[in-house]
Amino acid sequence: MKRIAILGSTGSIGTQALDICRRHPEAYRVTALTAKSSREKLFDQVRAFRPEMAGLLDGIRQEEIPEDLRFCRWLSGKEALHAAAAETEADAVLVSIVGIAGLQSVMDALEAGRQVLLANKEALVTGGHLVMEKAKAKGLPILPVDSEHSAIFQCLQGAGGNQPEKILLTASGGPFRTWKREDIRKATRAQALKHPNWDMGAKITVDSASMFNKGLEIMEARWLFDMPESRIEVVVHPESIVHSAVAFTDGAVIAQLGVPDMRVPIGYAMSYPLRKTTGVPAPDLFALGKLTFERPDEDKFPSLRMAKEALRAGGAACTVLNGANEEAVARFLRDEISFGEIYDLVARALDALGGLPATCLEEIFEADRRARKVVKER
Ligand code: NDP
Ligand code: MG
């Protein structure tokens, strides 16, 4: 029996993780569930999974908790996130909240000696060096949930001493892959939210359309697999069947294939080092017929170039890119700015703040705050 705390249980990743728990009640027990504001959904989950603790970032008063749910400890605000990451009897913590808030939770979970199942890419993007250092010091693995990184992790299991030369990070190319640059800049909210292959939360769906998501994933791979940016290659693969691959020094390329369904990578992180059924069928290669691959177009999607430059710059540059992008996407989703302005605002923030340091959590949070301010004030 593995005891799992789920931070962000009401989201796209969180609910799919709970589907897996429901499928294997003999294997998983849920110790904590948290959400930001989705109370009713969280109430239903607490009713079904009976965790030790539950919490809402936006807060809940004692009298608002339904009578039948008072068996568990309810917390509010950041205290809820901290307790879920570090205080329940969990073996593993699934960090599936969205945004830089995930960094503190990952550090809390590691500090408390919990295995981290990591969906929240922002933790590695902003504090990758601190997270990996802490994980190493604690002798705990960071098990990736992001589909590409799970694929790479799975490919590496078959390495057998073969040296990885290059990571081939696949990208669907998003809904604007075949659009012209001018048209991409004018894309609407509805168009950006229509991902061709994956069904995900709003923020990451917009990031997939801008390809900032792939930029963030280059940073994520850099830290998870200790691979310099120069050896991580983005490969556009519109079918989203090859979830990524590793090229080894002996000329072999090992890839992981599957239908685009997050339950596979979530399930693998949860059951690692074992494998369990997920309810997801294998892809039908005959029905697919062919798989295609293209080079990314960095003129149409400057996000990729910006991400690589930020990684090379080091310090807080990746944090600035991430914070500016998070804020710009929020503004785009509120119809305050155009799609093209997401790129402009991130570039502006990087110009202004790309040189800030990131030697500790405080500096990272400060760089994040300042990057958001640049975007908010435009
Ligand atoms: P969702 O927006 O669907 O869900 C986010 C969850 O976190 C919800 O439970 C939400 O609560 C909670 N939450 C939101 N903001 C905060 C906050 N500031 N502090 C604490 N909790 C918060 O996101 P996804 O599930 O799509 O993504 C989660 C993470 O996983 C992201 O980092 C994303 O990049 C990553 N990821 C997601 C993939 C996917 O397929 N969805 C694929 C790969 C990575 P509430 O419901 O109350 O708002
Ligand atoms: Mg991904």
Side-chain angles (χ1 to χ4, degrees):
M1 180 71 85
K2 194 162 178 175
R3 298 163 300 179
I4 301 185
I6 303 181
L7 279 67
S9 63
T10 52
S12 160
I13 297 286
T15 50
Q16 294 181 81
L18 286 173
D19 281 345
I20 293 178
C21 293
R22 209 173 277 119
R23 196 180 174 85
H24 296 286
E26 76 300 341
Y28 305 116
R29 188 164 74 69
V30 175
T31 66
L33 294 170
T34 77
K36 181 172 184 292
S37 57
S38 308
R39 312 193 150 188
E40 296 303 325
K41 209 165 172 181
L42 186 66
F43 290 161
D44 288 344
Q45 293 180 343
V46 170
R47 214 162 264 129
F49 292 94
R50 306 192 69 79
E52 283 167 44
M53 185 243 125
L56 280 157
L57 186 77
D58 288 356
I60 186 158
R61 289 197 304 271
Q62 194 60 31
E63 63 273 21
E64 292 168 333
I65 302 163
E67 294 259 344
D68 65 322
L69 301 183
R70 294 189 181 168
F71 62 88
C72 83
R73 179 175 169 220
W74 282 86
L75 291 170
S76 294
K78 290 198 173 147
E79 200 192 346
L81 286 178
H82 176 81
E87 287 172 15
T88 67
E89 295 285 316
D91 304 300
V93 178
L94 171 62
V95 183
S96 52
I97 61 183
V98 67
I100 195 174
L103 175 57
Q104 186 69 57
S105 298
V106 169
M107 295 301 274
D108 288 350
L110 289 173
E111 187 57 45
R114 316 285 196 254
Q115 205 176 55
V116 172
L117 320 183
L118 190 62
N120 175 279
K121 60 192 75 185
E122 297 87 340
L124 288 173
V125 165
T126 59
H129 53 305
L130 301 178
V131 168
M132 297 316 288
E133 197 179 279
K134 171 82 74 186
K136 201 169 162 200
K138 293 277 179 181
L140 291 163
I142 302 282
L143 299 170
V145 168
D146 206 348
S147 58
E148 295 78 0
H149 305 77
S150 172
I152 296 160
F153 185 67
Q154 292 176 63
C155 297
L156 291 171
Q157 307 301 309
N162 206 351
Q163 284 308 307
E165 189 161 272
K166 214 180 210 185
I167 285 174
L168 303 170
L169 185 71
T170 54
S172 70
F176 307 145
R177 180 177 60 91
T178 57
W179 288 31
K180 290 205 205 60
R181 187 173 182 276
E182 316 81 83
D183 296 335
I184 296 175
R185 289 194 59 91
K186 288 182 292 197
T188 65
R189 188 187 130 104
Q191 288 166 329
L193 284 174
K194 209 163 163 194
H195 196 281
N197 304 335
W198 294 95
D199 179 14
M200 309 180 286
K203 178 349 179 119
I204 185 174
T205 303
V206 175
D207 284 351
S208 297
S210 67
M211 291 198 79
F212 265 115
N213 182 51
K214 212 48 56 179
L216 300 177
E217 289 184 355
I218 297 174
M219 300 170 186
E220 197 184 355
R222 185 262 169 266
W223 293 112
L224 274 173
F225 307 111
D226 194 19
M227 189 65 99
E229 159 274 315
S230 56
R231 284 163 60 197
I232 303 172
E233 184 160 47
V234 174
V235 179
V236 175
H237 166 49
E239 295 86 5
S240 295
I241 296 295
V242 175
H243 294 305
S244 278
V246 178
F248 291 91
T249 44
D250 70 347
V253 171
I254 300 185
Q256 188 253 334
L257 281 67
V259 295
D261 189 315
M262 285 307 293
R263 286 175 297 169
V264 176
I266 297 168
Y268 186 54
M270 286 169 65
S271 63
Y272 178 81
L274 306 175
R275 294 259 181 182
K276 291 193 185 296
T277 59
T278 57
V280 180
D284 178 348
L285 296 184
F286 299 112
L288 285 162
K290 63 177 182 193
L291 298 175
T292 58
F293 303 96
E294 299 164 10
R295 250 175 229 292
D297 184 337
E298 295 192 3
D299 291 324
K300 269 179 14 181
F301 300 104
S303 37
L304 294 173
R305 196 173 0 93
M306 283 191 235
K308 289 189 229 167
E309 282 169 10
L311 258 177
R312 282 196 295 269
C318 293
T319 301
V320 169
L321 178 146
N322 178 71
N325 177 57
E326 226 176 281
E327 205 58 51
V329 170
R331 292 195 65 184
F332 171 72
L333 287 172
R334 292 195 300 267
D335 291 320
E336 290 172 13
I337 61 167
S338 70
F339 192 78
E341 282 172 305
I342 298 176
Y343 298 115
D344 305 342
L345 288 168
V346 174
R348 178 183 296 271
L350 279 169
D351 277 348
L353 305 168
L356 290 175
T359 56
C360 58
L361 288 180
E362 292 67 33
E363 283 179 354
I364 293 172
F365 294 136
E366 174 64 12
D368 176 67
R369 261 193 303 277
R370 290 181 61 184
R372 286 166 189 279
K373 193 156 173 269
V374 167
V375 173
K376 272 185 199 151
E377 286 173 357
R378 284 300 298 182

